Amino acid sequence: MTQSHHPALDAAQRRRLANAIRFLAIDGVEAAKSGHPGMPMGMADLAEVLWRDYYKHNPSNPKWPDRDRFVVSNGHGSMLHYAALHLAGYDLPVQELKNFRQLHSKTAGHPEFGITPGVETTTGPLGQGIANAVGLALAEKLLAARYNKDGFNIVDHRTFVFLGDGCLMEGISHEACSLAGVFGLNKLVAYYDDNGISIDGHVEGWFRDDTAARFKAYGWHVIGPIDGHDVAAIAAATQEALAQRDKPTLIIARTQIGWGSPNKVGTEEVHGAALGAAEVAATRAALGWEHAPFEIPDDIRAAWDARPAGAAKEAAWNALFADYAAKYPLEADEFKRTQAGHLPKTWLKTAQDLIAGARSVTAAVATRKSSQVALETLVPQMPELLGGSADLTGSNLTAAKASASFHNVGAVGNYVSYGVREFGMAAIMNGVALHGGFIPYGGTFAVFSDYMRNGMRMSALMKQRVIYVLTHDSIGLGEDGPTHQPVEHAAALRCIPNLDVWRPCDALETAVAWKAAVERHEGPAALLLSRQNLPQQKSTDASADLIARGGYVLSESELPLNVVIIATGSEVSLAIAAQTQLAALGIGARVVSMPSTNVFDRQDAAYRASVLPKGTPRVAVEAATSDSWWKYIGTDGGFVGMSSFGESAPAPVLYEHFGITCAHIVKTAQAVVEAHVSTPAIELSTN
Ligand SMILES: Cc1ncc(C[n+]2csc(CCOP(=O)(O)OP(=O)(O)O)c2C)c(N)n1
Ligand SMILES: [Mg+2]
């Protein structure tokens, strides 16, 4: 049973439709003199069958909530996606295909979310696309369980993904596909481009997995190998996949990279380079394609046009949703609100409760615990929060009382145990965020942010609201030792563009960090949280707004100002103690708490100068490397922190050992003040 509204075509006619993809890709790459023709030529027949007969989408509204999702995990094959989008009738005119890979075109080198209508996620880093697809399918399953009612399957769509050898070689595909099997994501259908080629040549020398056995072991339904150029076989495999009720499907499709090119087919040569004029001509002749570059005959255009069928499908869904909304108005409102990414109407009150609750804390509390307390306020009020941890729930404190674990088919849940799979978790959270309906957050130890770093980078690049809860944020975690003690991670995370890193010092700063992360529509946040208890700092009614600026004067000097001490997180209380001791020595010190350098850097110049006055020497204090701090303290500033890996010992012993102490801050401040006072003016030579 195909869903096509087009008349049945024979295999030769369908081959022509697939060849339209092939030649748009060939000619696009030729025009750019850069790109990857091999994959589009190899997977064109798969795309033709999937897109024309099964893929549920409406080119006129790429954001229709119940559309199927399509991901090209082997993102170097971007021209296949662009060609299909163009042919199906998306707002991607042929001029854009001619501008492949050029500045500000809608056809970037690899598919990019937010640039090209119909592209669901940014791919290119191999393996992450399939993990994003797992996230997309997970979101669908969770939303279906939550919102569907008898006779009202308002959430009922599939996630189709193309992937290649490279995606399967990458370790992240193991993490994500293993979870997809556990979760029984039966609406996930992956087409593996089994062409035996990657960049270095025939893969036997580096990739000999029994992929079918591997995926069966994950609990997937595996089909094939099939002939990836045989339309009937592709259709049969797809129908078998769509019939699965409790397993994701992998269709192993044997293809030839560069299919159609007489001299380059089946070779790595065609993976990532233009065919060249002679071979393009030879391919045109071999396939009987007589059309000029970028010219598509009307009958082929008509056969590809998915707009009428897509509009009809969306209209049917809109009617269903209208009936649903009449019967279940609360659910419908919540569905629409969360799909749009809007916060609940009660958000202002929730945020006030969050801040007020944090301000009422007096005891010393670890910021990971304060984060959990924040979640106790947020989770019951925000069904869109989808929590989780990479097997460290009891350490990350990412579960609230209202967190309900999602385990399998049909289960309603708002908490995912990702297992020990940090990178998989990050990329799955990206897929969940991209799907819509959720704000995902997930925890691990801060030191393992390296494991998921490229996933975090992709959240930032795609401007997705994903919240990373990174606990055990310094040597303050103590006895687990240097393997578990982050040293360079704060600096490394802060330099990812569009990732807001927060390292709060107490319950109030933690609450403000959560508020900022949840309110941030345009990107991810990382919360660096302590394992050890931290004292509460003084606050006023103005504090929350000041904290939200990323850096602020926490404690002003009572003496004329000699030095500014900038501190974050667990070291803020040391700076406050040093301020008192410096005052006793006659040195006026101001303490600036800087929970987020990224947010502080976005403040206007006047505000920044009011916090860090020009000409006053500065000392930064952070139990981490100094790399984040030179831009604030200058080369003549002082730094108290780490310059090596940590050690295994109780935390107080380590703070002493590494000199991250009140006494050392005092000494460092004294030294920079003295150097500042005694610095003579430099005589400049005039010749
Ligand atoms: C994480 C990552 N590492 C390396 C690359 C560079 N790269 C792009 S394609 C490719 C080979 C992919 O082989 P395969 O998936 O079999 O693609 P095919 O040549 O069959 O199209 C490599 C190494 C990348 N894009 N992402
Ligand atoms: Mg390959």
Side-chain angles (χ1 to χ4, degrees):
M1 172 208 66
T2 72
Q3 299 170 6
S4 177
H5 290 222
H6 300 291
L9 301 176
D10 65 27
Q13 290 170 311
R14 299 191 73 157
R15 176 56 52 72
R16 269 184 82 231
L17 302 184
N19 286 347
I21 289 191
R22 290 191 169 97
F23 282 97
L24 287 173
I26 289 170
D27 293 326
V29 171
E30 212 60 28
K33 297 197 171 31
S34 139
H36 301 76
M39 178 285 217
M41 295 168 77
M43 294 193 89
D45 299 304
L46 289 152
E48 187 273 318
V49 173
L50 173 62
W51 274 58
R52 290 188 57 263
D53 284 348
Y54 300 102
Y55 182 30
K56 178 177 79 171
H57 63 141
N58 180 9
S60 306
N61 181 9
K63 294 288 170 199
W64 165 32
D66 200 39
R67 69 191 182 280
D68 290 341
R69 273 39 171 199
F70 177 69
V71 174
V72 178
S73 187
N74 40 358
H76 54 277
S78 57
M79 260 317 295
L80 172 139
H81 203 177
Y82 300 145
L85 290 166
H86 169 72
L87 291 167
Y90 282 78
D91 180 17
L92 194 65
V94 73
Q95 190 55 39
E96 293 291 345
L97 303 190
K98 293 179 182 169
N99 270 339
F100 180 45
R101 298 192 147 213
Q102 305 311 305
L103 188 65
H104 302 319
S105 75
K106 287 186 183 171
T107 51
H110 293 82
E112 286 191 44
F113 175 77
I115 289 188
T116 318
V119 167
E120 304 282 1
T121 180
T122 300
T123 54
L126 295 173
Q128 282 194 71
I130 173 67
N132 296 160
V134 170
L136 290 164
L138 173 63
E140 195 271 353
K141 184 171 279 292
L142 289 165
L143 291 175
R146 189 177 289 181
Y147 292 108
N148 288 352
K149 307 278 185 195
D150 248 2
F152 291 100
N153 282 346
I154 59 160
V155 182
D156 186 11
H157 52 268
R158 306 190 185 269
T159 303
F160 296 108
V161 53
F162 280 10
L163 51 85
D165 300 298
C167 293
L168 292 179
M169 283 187 252
E170 288 290 353
I172 188 174
S173 68
H174 167 69
E175 298 184 17
C177 294
S178 163
L179 267 178
V182 173
F183 292 159
L185 301 179
N186 61 304
K187 289 186 181 167
L188 175 63
V189 183
Y191 296 81
Y192 164 34
D193 186 27
D194 183 12
N195 62 15
I197 290 288
S198 65
I199 290 180
D200 277 5
H202 285 271
V203 298
E204 293 82 7
W206 47 91
F207 184 47
R208 288 195 208 176
D209 296 1
D210 181 342
T211 297
R214 172 184 165 193
F215 276 74
K216 277 180 199 150
Y218 291 153
W220 285 51
H221 180 67
V222 178
I223 301 173
I226 63 163
D227 177 350
H229 301 294
D230 175 347
V231 167
I234 300 165
T238 303
Q239 285 173 31
E240 190 179 322
L242 300 191
Q244 295 307 308
R245 291 288 161 264
D246 56 7
K247 287 178 178 181
T249 297
L250 179 73
I251 297 171
I252 301 176
R254 288 260 158 86
T255 68
Q256 289 187 291
I257 191 168
W259 189 95
S261 156
N263 302 303
K264 297 192 173 179
V265 63
T267 68
E268 64 272 22
E269 229 187 307
V270 73
H271 160 91
L275 295 183
E279 191 61 15
V280 171
T283 308
R284 275 194 153 73
L287 297 186
W289 188 262
E290 288 157 357
H291 317 291
F294 304 106
E295 192 186 295
I296 301 294
D298 289 345
D299 66 316
I300 292 186
R301 268 194 197 288
W304 265 103
D305 190 353
R307 285 170 296 189
K313 283 175 199 155
E314 183 179 351
W317 184 84
N318 285 337
L320 180 75
F321 191 81
D323 291 348
Y324 175 87
K327 224 172 155 185
Y328 306 102
L330 291 180
E331 286 88 341
D333 274 358
E334 187 181 284
F335 179 81
K336 278 196 289 193
R337 176 182 72 71
T338 52
Q339 285 292 316
H342 296 151
L343 297 178
K345 285 199 192 75
T346 51
W347 172 246
L348 222 57
K349 166 88 171 57
T350 303
Q352 281 166 357
D353 290 349
L354 190 67
I355 302 300
R359 283 193 65 194
S360 71
V361 178
T362 51
V365 183
T367 49
R368 63 177 171 144
K369 179 67 192 170
S370 298
S371 165
Q372 187 180 42
V373 171
L375 287 170
E376 293 296 358
T377 302
L378 297 173
V379 173
Q381 296 293 324
M382 299 186 68
E384 63 266 49
L385 280 177
L386 182 67
S389 168
D391 205 41
L392 286 168
T393 295
S395 298
N396 302 144
L397 301 181
T398 33
K401 289 186 196 79
S403 299
S405 279
F406 159 76
H407 285 301
N408 210 329
V409 187
V412 180
N414 62 357
Y415 195 86
V416 182
S417 284
Y418 291 96
V420 193
R421 301 180 180 95
E422 294 82 10
F423 192 12
M425 174 173 75
I428 290 172
M429 290 199 294
N430 284 338
V432 167
L434 286 159
H435 181 280
F438 287 112
I439 301 173
Y441 70 89
T444 183
F445 288 149
V447 78
F448 302 133
S449 61
D450 286 338
Y451 270 49
M452 58 184 180
R453 185 174 173 83
N454 202 269
M456 301 176 78
R457 183 175 191 273
M458 295 305 287
S459 314
L461 176 59
M462 293 191 280
K463 302 188 172 73
Q464 293 304 296
R465 181 164 36 180
V466 175
I467 303 172
Y468 294 91
V469 179
L470 305 176
T471 69
H472 298 60
D473 71 345
S474 75
I475 53 165
L477 66 85
E479 293 85 343
D480 273 337
T483 57
H484 283 53
Q485 291 161 356
V487 172
E488 74 281 24
H489 300 74
L493 292 171
R494 285 174 184 137
C495 69
I496 295 179
N498 197 37
L499 172 67
D500 277 3
V501 179
W502 290 86
R503 187 167 187 258
C505 74
D506 65 2
L508 180 57
E509 285 194 0
T510 306
V512 172
W514 263 107
K515 176 172 179 285
V518 163
E519 287 177 347
R520 184 155 197 250
H521 288 271
E522 63 279 5
L527 313 182
L528 297 175
L529 305 171
S530 75
R531 169 179 186 263
Q532 74 275 31
N533 287 341
L534 306 181
Q536 307 305 318
Q537 299 303 326
K538 288 201 195 85
S539 68
T540 69
D541 290 343
S543 296
D545 288 342
L546 286 171
I547 295 167
R549 304 192 79 161
Y552 63 103
V553 180
L554 171 64
S555 179
E556 185 54 290
S557 171
E558 287 175 1
L559 301 174
L561 191 59
N562 299 117
V563 62
V564 175
I565 305 174
I566 312 165
T568 77
S570 41
E571 287 67 66
V572 167
S573 61
L574 294 177
I576 292 285
Q579 181 187 41
T580 307
Q581 292 195 9
L582 285 163
L585 298 168
I587 295 176
R590 162 190 290 185
V591 174
V592 167
S593 178
M594 181 103 53
S596 177
T597 60
N598 310 94
V599 175
F600 181 73
D601 290 350
R602 288 202 293 270
Q603 305 302 309
D604 60 80
Y607 176 75
R608 283 184 279 124
S610 76
V611 175
L612 302 177
K614 279 207 173 67
T616 309
R618 302 165 191 170
V619 173
V621 188
E622 187 171 61
T625 53
S626 58
D627 301 69
S628 303
W629 297 107
W630 300 109
K631 64 179 168 177
Y632 305 108
I633 61 179
T635 48
D636 53 354
F639 178 70
V640 174
M642 300 290 293
S643 58
S644 67
F645 292 115
E647 296 275 358
S648 173
V653 175
L654 292 175
Y655 270 84
E656 266 315 306
H657 175 74
F658 288 108
I660 305 174
T661 60
C662 176
H664 190 197
I665 299 170
V666 168
K667 257 195 170 158
T668 307
Q670 276 180 304
V672 297
V673 169
E674 260 165 44
H676 183 71
V677 171
S678 62
T679 304
I682 299 171
E683 293 270 350
L684 293 176
S685 153
T686 47
N687 37 358

